[in-house]
Amino acid sequence: MTYYLVSNNESERGKTLYKISAAFALMFILSFVFLFVKPAKAQSLSLEQALELAIQHDPLLKGNELRKQGFHAEAEASTYWENPQISASVQNLPTDGFALDQEPMTQFKVGLKQQLPRGNENKYSQKKYRVMASKMSIESQARKAWLEREVTLAWLDWVYAARRIVLLDQERALLTQLLDFTDSRYSQGVVAAAQKDVLQVRLALLSLDDKYMQAYQQENEAKAVLSKWLGAPLDEAVSVPLALSKSEPKSLSVKPFLELDVILNRSSTSLDALLVFIDSSEPFSILQHHPEAMLLQFQTEIETQNLNIAREQTKSQWAFEASYGYRQDAQNGASRADFVSLGVQVDLPFFNKSRQDASISAAASRMNASETDFRLKVNELAAKAEMLKSRLSGLSERKAFYETALIGEVQQLSEAELTAYTTDTGDIDDVVNANLKQVEVQEGLLKIEVERAKTLTSLAYLYLPSNAYLSQREQ
């Protein structure tokens, strides 16, 4: 019996040592894996990257380049005349024997005919297609500027939603600290502390959940809008780089997280230079060089060439032809001379003068209408620029008011209410409201900064292309 007991004990001891060795081995393997395997970091999408992707994947820009190549080819093709026509025939063949040498009028005839353009129609057609090719270049410039504006606006909405979530985290941290404080006072039996104080703070925390849902909804919607320009949905792990991360210290002061110069990152113009250009420029003259307006100028030039082509249709069209007729010798051996024929053809466009006048009138009307559209577009752009300048001025004043007065006053109020409550001279409602007001003011400043950035983005869309055109023309 003793022998078997010893064996069992040794067996159990061996199993225990085996389990311990296996555990150490597993820990070693896991430590080795975690040493070399790093957790995946969330990728961030900067505005510059978003703009590059949007322009790279935009099908309209690719289509404009193909259309431009097509118009250049059309301009080259319009310089050539119509193809010459060649004809061959056997004329005056007798039906009683079908012999080529029976009758002297029988001949084998080969002819060549060349039709000339009607007036200077080809020259004006070439000009028209060249203008259309140049219009595609301007349309691509307008598309790029429009894409930069739309992507930037969507990206700023994403920034606002992400930054608002950080502010809500700050609000939750404040309310959690306040809940711990009221719980402690209530559990210690402080006279002024009542159960309603604890319930009041808990209610504020519950109402915060609805704000979170709204903020996350705004963030998802902004990412969905942005993904439309990028050609694929944004992954959930992708974040916006300008929002504060949750690991950063949650200070109540608003950090300058939004660099407004980022909206000019595709231009050599600085923000200060843009503002000076906007203030010193007269919008009705400067915005005539905006791509949206220049497109209508090119359309006017196209309609001008259509008018010239319509006028050329009133001119006669000429055609020249030459032919050679070969005759066989007679049956008796007599020689027969061959024939050479020369001819000129011309049409008479004078009999449909009413139709031609109507075509010219229609082309002139389209040209004049295009000039009117140009003036309307310039007026529209100028009015929008004046509105944006007024909005920017108001937002700048509100931003200065928030930063110099309102934020400081609300912070002092919050500290005063908390001090009064700790000394049993204040009410918990005032403390909660003061803390909520503090975060509310920060959210208001955040909204002002984002709206100011959007306004600058829209102004940059209006003035940067015009400024680039004028600078290029002066060189």
Side-chain angles (χ1 to χ4, degrees), residues 47 151-161 222 242 258 260 262-263 449-450 452-455 457:
L47 177 58
V151 171
T152 302
L153 293 178
W155 190 83
L156 288 172
D157 286 334
W158 187 16
V159 169
Y160 172 73
L242 294 184
L258 187 60
L260 297 181
V262 77
I263 65 175
E449 287 184 336
V450 172
R452 186 169 180 267
K454 286 184 176 182
T455 304
T457 301

Side-chain angles (χ1 to χ4, degrees), residues 83-154:
N83 293 329
Q85 300 176 9
I86 188 171
S87 60
S89 62
V90 176
Q91 296 183 350
N92 305 317
L93 186 65
T95 59
D96 57 351
F98 295 99
L100 296 178
D101 56 354
Q102 176 180 342
E103 300 294 336
M105 295 300 296
T106 302
Q107 57 181 301
F108 177 75
K109 184 177 182 181
V110 178
L112 182 67
K113 179 180 179 181
Q114 177 63 59
Q115 191 174 22
L116 302 183
R118 192 182 297 273
N120 293 320
E121 181 180 3
N122 282 13
K123 181 182 73 172
Y124 293 126
S125 295
Q126 183 184 29
K127 287 183 178 180
K128 171 185 173 181
Y129 287 118
R130 286 178 176 175
V131 173
M132 293 174 74
S134 300
K135 183 184 176 183
M136 287 297 100
S137 299
I138 299 299
E139 187 170 340
S140 295
Q141 295 178 15
R143 178 67 176 183
K144 288 181 181 179
W146 183 82
L147 273 176
E148 290 176 359
R149 182 190 66 180
E150 295 300 311
V151 171
T152 302
L153 293 178

Side-chain angles (χ1 to χ4, degrees), residues 15 43 65 75 83 87 92 123 127 143 165 179 207 212 214 229-230 248 262 335 370 373 388 420 424 426 440 449:
K15 292 181 179 179
Q43 297 179 350
E65 186 62 28
N83 293 329
S87 60
N92 305 317
K123 181 182 73 172
K127 287 183 178 180
R143 178 67 176 183
I165 292 174
L179 179 61
S207 63
Y212 267 110
Q214 293 179 8
W229 310 116
L230 305 183
E248 295 185 36
V262 77
S335 176
S370 182
D373 293 338
L388 291 173
D424 298 334
E440 180 183 345
E449 287 184 336

Side-chain angles (χ1 to χ4, degrees), residues 138 141-142 144-145 148 264 266-270 273-274 277-278 281 285-291 294 459-475:
I138 299 299
Q141 295 178 15
K144 288 181 181 179
E148 290 176 359
L264 306 174
R266 299 183 61 83
S267 173
S268 58
T269 305
S270 64
L274 174 63
F277 180 72
I278 291 174
S281 301
S285 59
I286 293 297
L287 295 179
Q288 292 182 10
H289 309 295
H290 190 273
M294 293 180 66
L459 284 170
Y461 167 75
L462 293 177
Y463 282 93
L464 280 183
S466 302
N467 185 26
Y469 175 82
L470 293 176
S471 300
Q472 184 177 5
R473 194 174 64 176
E474 292 174 358
Q475 294 178 354

Side-chain angles (χ1 to χ4, degrees), residues 28-88:
F28 176 77
I29 294 174
L30 290 177
S31 62
F32 181 81
V33 171
F34 287 122
L35 180 63
F36 291 96
V37 177
K38 297 181 179 180
K41 295 182 179 179
Q43 297 179 350
S44 62
L45 181 67
S46 66
L47 177 58
E48 179 67 22
Q49 293 172 335
L51 293 175
E52 289 289 346
L53 290 173
I55 293 177
Q56 180 181 355
H57 293 91
D58 186 52
L60 184 59
L61 291 176
K62 298 178 182 179
N64 284 346
E65 186 62 28
L66 295 175
R67 280 186 283 271
K68 179 180 177 181
Q69 297 175 8
F71 289 137
H72 279 303
E74 290 280 0
E76 178 68 19
S78 62
T79 60
Y80 296 95
W81 291 356
E82 294 288 340
N83 293 329
Q85 300 176 9
I86 188 171
S87 60

Side-chain angles (χ1 to χ4, degrees), residues 166 234 254 294:
V166 176
L234 289 177
V254 177
M294 293 180 66

